Amino acid sequence: MFISFVDALRAAGIPASLKEHLTLLEALDRDVIEADPTQFYYLARATFVHDEAALDRFDQVFGTIFKGLERPAGEELTTQLPEDWLRAVAERYFSPEEMEAIKSLGDWDEIMETLKKRLEEQQGRHQGGNKWIGTGGTSPYGHGGYNPEGVRIGGPGQHGRAIKIWEKRLFKDLDGERELGTRNIKVALKRLRRFAREGAADELDLEGTINGTARQGWLDVRMRPERHNAVKLLLFLDIGGSMDAHVKQVEELFSAAKSEFKHFDHYYFHNCVYEGVWKENRRRWDGQTPTFDILHKFGPEYKLVFVGDASMSPYEITHPGGAIEHYNEEAGAVWMKRLTDAYKSAAWLNPTPEAYWNHSFSTRVLKELMDDRMYPLTLDGLEDAMRELSRKH
């Protein structure tokens, strides 16, 4: 039973053993859970997944193997159009000329103050307008339409122009076990190496053993610590939103860095670093790490690398309260300066082609905050970044 499920887990790189398979069957035999698909999912995940980096792969396998397992009682087997399809039909298409004619409401303070008034005055749902909170129009508030600067409330993003977003957003962690499509990234990262022997003496020192035996006249076994890369790397990864298009590329970099550096730590952020970052995207709100804690925990010998497309509303960098998902007491630029002051060896890797950087005001601002140490996420860009990080400060 469930042999195909176990085979699929193994094919996805999750080490599903016979013992775990038997444990799952025994739990089901003893009625540990009720006959409920959701409870079975959590039981199977607890049985087979021992590393949080494999959660995403497990979900994909489970969804594929048990697709259609649950059907609400009384559901008819007739084809129904999904609600989001029907809503999309009502969303208006805007030509480039129409977009150009729509003007921004004003600056950050005016946009947020007007939103406060709209929330107090609005009584019902609106669609296709240019003032109220609604869908499919040119109002600065809502979703499914267009405005040069506004607040997206619910719904998916379309034009990447929102200066703030009000919705619960769930992003996935990057998969650290992903097989690299190319070894060239590892080759580029190897430029940032400084070997040392530290820790317990658990490796045979063959040359020392031969010399000691020759001098002593008896077998004199010598041990030494393992030789490893002594460079310490702190990686900050932008996740979600416009970065979804670059997940594969960033996963390859993440996987290579994780295997190349013994002293390695990573944290996630969204768009710009503020007072808190996180290790797991499923706990991004209740499991944040204060940025000040990172500054106190990791010494100045660490190399700091940001990975992100730097594409956001400029208010997120320059203004308190400008963060797209929460209220930040201090501007993102303040936190960027604290980090780059604490870690003199720092670089920003940008997956967006360099030819487009000048078209983004936020990219230009971050590049200036990084003292021009922003590099494209290409092999040449990686080599330039590693060369910068290797430079003595």
Side-chain angles (χ1 to χ4, degrees):
M1 191 177 183
F2 303 132
I3 292 297
S4 60
F5 179 41
V6 175
D7 289 341
L9 289 173
R10 290 171 178 168
I14 299 174
S17 67
L18 176 61
K19 180 180 179 181
E20 290 163 330
H21 182 204
L22 294 176
T23 299
L24 178 64
L25 295 180
E26 183 179 359
L28 294 173
D29 187 55
R30 296 190 180 189
D31 296 325
V32 172
I33 61 171
E34 297 177 4
D36 177 77
T38 301
Q39 292 189 31
F40 173 68
Y41 161 78
Y42 285 112
L43 174 63
R45 194 178 77 173
T47 304
F48 290 108
V49 179
H50 308 296
D51 185 344
E52 61 195 27
L55 284 172
D56 183 40
R57 280 175 287 156
F58 176 84
D59 287 350
Q60 292 179 32
V61 172
F62 190 92
T64 300
I65 297 297
F66 299 107
K67 184 177 181 181
L69 181 64
E70 183 177 22
R71 179 184 300 153
E75 180 185 22
E76 297 182 2
L77 295 178
T78 56
T79 302
Q80 296 183 356
L81 289 177
E83 183 180 353
D84 57 339
W85 287 17
L86 295 175
R87 287 181 178 176
V89 171
E91 292 180 359
R92 181 177 169 189
Y93 170 78
F94 293 89
S95 68
E97 292 75 16
E98 288 177 306
M99 290 182 180
E100 185 64 28
I102 300 169
K103 302 300 181 183
S104 173
L105 184 62
D107 61 12
W108 166 264
D109 294 328
E110 187 173 353
I111 290 172
M112 300 310 293
E113 185 62 32
T114 305
L115 174 60
K116 192 181 300 182
K117 293 178 181 177
R118 295 284 191 274
L119 290 171
E120 293 172 354
E121 298 170 1
Q122 185 163 336
Q123 299 298 319
R125 182 180 183 275
H126 287 268
Q127 180 171 321
N130 61 4
K131 176 181 177 181
W132 299 108
I133 303 169
T135 59
T138 60
S139 167
Y141 313 110
H143 71 89
Y146 174 81
N147 194 277
E149 289 184 313
V151 179
R152 174 155 64 86
I153 301 175
Q158 289 183 315
H159 304 288
R161 296 301 188 105
I163 64 172
K164 205 167 187 69
I165 295 174
W166 282 5
E167 66 173 349
K168 183 177 181 182
R169 311 177 85 200
L170 299 176
F171 302 137
K172 294 179 180 178
D173 293 345
L174 296 177
D175 190 345
E177 303 301 320
R178 182 179 180 85
E179 287 294 325
L180 295 179
T182 174
R183 291 183 55 85
N184 290 338
I185 295 179
K186 284 189 175 183
V187 172
L189 291 178
K190 284 180 179 179
R191 293 181 179 275
L192 190 63
R193 292 191 295 183
R194 187 179 68 249
F195 285 111
R197 296 189 182 276
E198 300 172 350
D202 53 7
E203 179 182 274
L204 176 65
D205 182 357
L206 182 59
E207 184 178 349
T209 299
I210 294 173
N211 291 336
T213 301
R215 285 197 304 270
Q216 301 291 343
W218 63 80
L219 181 61
D220 184 12
V221 177
R222 303 284 180 92
M223 304 296 289
R224 63 185 179 185
E226 182 183 357
R227 184 173 179 259
H228 58 77
N229 190 350
V231 170
K232 299 178 180 180
L233 182 66
L234 190 56
L235 190 63
F236 279 31
L237 298 151
D238 184 3
I239 199 80
S242 57
M243 283 297 293
D244 287 347
H246 308 293
V247 165
K248 181 179 183 295
Q249 194 177 8
V250 177
E251 274 188 336
E252 291 179 352
L253 173 68
F254 176 57
S255 182
K258 190 176 179 183
S259 64
E260 181 63 29
F261 299 99
K262 181 179 178 66
H263 302 285
F264 170 78
D265 248 289
H266 75 280
Y267 293 90
Y268 296 112
F269 68 96
H270 183 56
N271 285 354
C272 190
V273 177
Y274 300 106
E275 68 280 358
V277 291
W278 52 93
K279 295 285 287 185
E280 301 176 56
N281 279 298
R282 62 189 177 91
R283 297 188 60 218
R284 63 188 305 230
W285 295 118
D286 61 356
Q288 285 198 354
T289 300
T291 309
F292 270 130
D293 287 0
I294 294 174
L295 291 168
H296 296 150
K297 178 180 179 180
F298 301 100
E301 71 277 8
Y302 271 80
K303 314 285 187 182
L304 177 63
V305 175
F306 298 95
V307 181
D309 61 5
S311 177
M312 68 197 83
S313 163
Y315 299 124
E316 297 186 57
I317 310 169
T318 59
H319 282 58
I324 201 165
E325 297 178 316
H326 76 292
Y327 184 85
N328 52 304
E329 297 285 349
E330 295 179 293
V334 175
W335 289 102
M336 289 297 299
K337 188 174 188 310
R338 286 188 180 128
L339 287 164
T340 53
D341 284 348
Y343 305 103
K344 299 301 182 183
S345 293
W348 186 295
L349 295 173
N350 192 332
T352 302
E354 192 171 2
Y356 298 103
W357 291 2
N358 285 332
H359 300 293
S360 167
F361 183 70
S362 60
T363 303
R364 298 199 304 269
V365 172
L366 279 173
K367 190 170 183 285
E368 183 177 342
L369 288 171
M370 290 297 301
D371 293 329
D372 288 331
R373 292 173 295 177
M374 181 179 285
Y375 305 92
L377 190 48
T378 61
L379 293 178
D380 288 342
L382 268 175
E383 291 186 357
D384 290 340
M386 296 307 105
R387 195 174 294 111
E388 166 61 31
L389 293 173
S390 301
R391 188 168 60 86
K392 291 185 178 181
H393 294 271

